Amino acid sequence: MAETEARVRFGIIGCANIARKLARAINLAPNSVLHAIGSRSIEKAKRFVTVNGLDPQWVKIYGSYEQVVEDPSVDAVYMPLPTSLHVHWAVMAARNGKHVLVEKPAALDVGELDRIVGACESNGVQFMDGSMWLHHPRTAKMKDMFFDSKLLGDVNYIYSTSTTSPSPEFFESDIRVKGNLDALGALGDLGWYCLGAVLWAKNYQLPSVVTALPDVTRNSDGVIISCSASIQYKEPSAAGATTNAIIHCSFLSDTSMDLAMTGSGGSLNLDDFIIPHGESSASIEFTKGAKFVDLHIGWNVKPEKVVVNCELPQEALMVKEFARLVAGIRTSALLPDPKWPEISRKTQMLVDAVKKSVDLGCEPVYL
């Protein structure tokens, strides 16, 4: 079999800015290739190919989404569409036998996500959302450190932020502030990462209660553009500790991507957990056994910096893993990996819980 035939052939539907990043990632990954790009405008699709230096001899250009999902040569579809369109196009792609890589947030609510995942399961195709940071080797390294009782100990506090301060034009025209396109706003676009990080740190155990904090800001369309939430794990660990988490997501603050986790014996800190400062490596700051020195004029230890190298950008590693799963289904009759839809569903459940708490005037929501 020729090398290009062995690779998983991707189609992209939609030419959003994030699609440029994924087009590059698809061609960087060693087991995938970009086969088709589709837009509702053929001219926009042609522009996408030109701007991103793609060869129209190798990348099919379509003037509709249907043509991509119905192309028999396409194995998998990546969809960077408004969240309100995910359920329709993901279900259609699955019914056409395409594996589905969908941009986050995966859906507007868990009911819609269940329809997407159900279609993927019934058609034997892989589902995954585009949470790239989960595929970075730093994340695996943190997990090793996290569950080493000699390092961090019992985790009892997690803090995560995802904030950005876009241009005035963003608030006028971006789909993420339009109620009919992306009704979850900052909660879906940014909070997805923070809530996913809390779940990741708790090994995907669901919390007991989620409560939005009373700092919610909405735009004139009713879309959340800034909010915070408290996530509580009331079930004590083996050592008797409970876990509390605070997340904050906002379109109104300077860029931040913080993840801090504190345990009984140490702490981990990142200020770039969603997008590392550089593609080739990323770091973790780890502190163990910190105490104040005499007179409380300093600390007895300084944070240790752990650097993790990365062979490919994290988005390419995500594509590589997704393509590996697709190839296993396609050539070895393996079943789709249920881990990824389960992660997405639990994250969606927390997004739904925060949204419900906001709508109830910051009342607690029990899971």
Side-chain angles (χ1 to χ4, degrees):
M1 183 181 289
E3 183 184 356
T4 53
E5 291 175 348
R7 294 180 184 177
V8 170
R9 293 161 296 192
F10 273 83
I12 296 177
I13 58 173
C15 297
N17 196 48
I18 188 67
R20 298 185 60 196
K21 186 174 185 176
L22 262 290
R24 173 177 178 258
I26 289 165
N27 286 334
L28 281 175
N31 54 350
S32 63
V33 64
L34 182 57
H35 179 79
I37 178 74
S39 172
R40 289 172 295 181
S41 159
I42 189 72
E43 293 305 319
K44 192 172 182 180
K46 288 178 179 177
R47 255 193 329 271
F48 183 92
V49 168
T50 300
V51 168
N52 291 284
L54 303 171
D55 189 341
Q57 289 187 318
W58 296 103
V59 179
K60 291 185 178 180
I61 302 171
Y62 290 127
S64 73
Y65 301 156
E66 288 95 340
Q67 288 174 291
V68 177
V69 299
E70 292 172 359
D71 184 337
S73 297
V74 169
D75 301 308
V77 174
Y78 166 66
M79 44 190 70
L81 300 173
T83 311
S84 60
L85 301 181
H86 284 186
V87 65
H88 175 82
W89 290 106
V91 168
M92 182 179 289
R95 287 175 177 169
N96 279 274
K98 314 303 182 192
H99 303 270
V100 176
L101 178 60
V102 66
E103 198 44 65
K104 34 60 46 191
L108 289 175
D109 56 49
V110 77
E112 284 197 357
L113 182 56
D114 283 346
R115 288 175 59 192
I116 293 171
V117 172
C120 290
E121 289 176 348
S122 61
N123 289 280
V125 298
Q126 184 66 51
F127 172 87
M128 184 185 286
D129 78 57
S131 298
M132 304 168 192
W133 75 277
L134 292 173
H135 303 268
H136 197 289
R138 173 175 65 178
T139 306
K141 177 65 175 177
M142 281 196 298
K143 185 72 82 173
D144 291 342
M145 298 173 71
F146 212 56
F147 290 102
D148 185 339
S149 60
K150 296 178 181 178
L151 292 178
L152 202 64
D154 258 0
V155 175
N156 48 43
Y157 183 68
I158 305 161
Y159 174 74
S160 182
T161 71
S162 180
T163 64
T164 186
S165 182
S167 67
E169 290 76 24
F170 174 91
F171 294 101
E172 294 294 326
S173 58
D174 196 275
I175 62 170
R176 287 166 287 182
V177 295
K178 302 294 183 182
N180 63 328
L181 295 174
D182 255 310
L184 294 173
L187 175 59
D189 185 47
L190 304 176
W192 184 274
Y193 294 117
C194 302
L195 294 166
V198 172
L199 285 167
W200 172 85
K202 293 296 293 181
N203 213 21
Y204 293 98
Q205 174 191 352
L206 287 170
S208 307
V209 60
V210 172
T211 311
L213 303 182
D215 64 343
V216 181
T217 303
R218 298 180 187 256
N219 66 6
S220 59
D221 211 16
V223 175
I224 295 170
I225 57 174
S226 183
C227 72
S228 305
S230 165
I231 298 96
Q232 294 176 287
Y233 287 83
K234 293 188 174 182
E235 186 72 25
S237 67
T242 58
T243 304
N244 292 304
I246 297 291
I247 67 103
H248 177 66
C249 54
S250 179
F251 291 142
L252 301 176
S253 300
D254 195 38
T255 299
S256 72
M257 297 179 175
D258 298 330
L259 179 58
M261 297 166 284
T262 303
S264 56
S267 61
L268 291 177
N269 289 275
L270 285 74
D271 64 359
D272 62 346
F273 89 95
I274 301 168
I275 302 174
H277 291 302
E279 284 191 335
S280 60
S281 66
S283 63
I284 307 162
E285 281 202 347
F286 172 68
T287 306
K288 178 174 174 57
K291 306 285 185 185
F292 296 129
V293 298
D294 191 31
L295 301 181
H296 288 202
I297 58 173
W299 293 41
N300 66 328
V301 293
K302 291 183 178 180
E304 176 187 348
K305 188 174 185 179
V306 179
V307 177
V308 181
N309 294 322
C310 195
E311 59 167 329
L312 290 168
Q314 62 180 7
E315 59 272 18
L317 291 173
M318 177 184 72
V319 170
K320 182 182 176 182
E321 172 63 9
F322 185 77
R324 184 189 69 81
L325 295 171
V326 170
I329 297 166
R330 187 178 64 181
T331 63
S332 303
L334 299 178
L335 294 175
D337 187 344
K339 176 180 79 170
W340 297 107
E342 180 182 354
I343 287 173
S344 299
R345 191 177 195 279
K346 287 183 175 181
T347 308
Q348 189 78 55
M349 287 176 69
L350 292 201
V351 169
D352 289 6
V354 175
K355 177 69 162 54
K356 183 177 179 180
S357 181
V358 168
D359 292 342
L360 291 173
C362 300
E363 289 294 316
V365 174
Y366 296 89
L367 283 84

